[in-house]
C-alpha cells in the first residue's frame, strides 16, 4: 500500500468528515465541548476506512496500464 498517498487522503478525508460532523453538531444545538470532541473522534474513525479504500482503488488504477481508461 502506498503510505504517502494514504496519509494525504486520510488528512483530507478526516478534515472533511470532522468538519461536517462539527457543523451538524453546532447547527442542531449540541455545542458542548464533549459533543464537539465526540464529533472529532467519530470523524477520525469514519475517515480511516474511507482513506484505505480510496488509496487501494487509486493504486489499482495507476499500477496497471492495461486497466487505465482510454
Amino acid at each position: 500500500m502506498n503510505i504517502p498517498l494514504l496519509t494525504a487522503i486520510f488528512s483530507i478525508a478526516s478534515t472533511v468528515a470532522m468538519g461536517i460532523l462539527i457543523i451538524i453538531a453546532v447547527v442542531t444545538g449540541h455545542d458542548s465541548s464533549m459533543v464537539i470532541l465526540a464529533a472529532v473522534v467519530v470523524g477520525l474513525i469514519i475517515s480511516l476506512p474511507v482513506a484505505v479504500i480510496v488509496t487501494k482503488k487509486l493504486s489499482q488504477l495507476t499500477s496497471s496500464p492495461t486497466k487505465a481508461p482510454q
Side-chain angles (χ1 to χ4, degrees):
M1 182 173 302
N2 191 349
I3 299 298
L5 180 62
L6 176 67
T7 56
I9 292 173
F10 176 71
S11 66
I12 294 169
S14 63
T15 303
V16 170
M18 288 186 294
I20 290 171
L21 292 174
I22 290 171
I23 289 171
I24 289 172
V26 170
V27 168
T28 58
H30 302 287
D31 54 354
S32 68
S33 61
M34 288 304 292
V35 174
I36 301 298
L37 185 61
V40 169
V41 170
V42 169
L44 287 171
I45 292 170
I46 289 172
S47 62
L48 186 59
V50 170
V52 169
I53 291 169
V54 171
T55 302
K56 285 182 180 180
K57 292 291 184 182
L58 283 174
S59 295
Q60 286 176 356
L61 285 174
T62 58
S63 66
S64 175
T66 59
K67 292 185 179 179
Q70 298 179 7

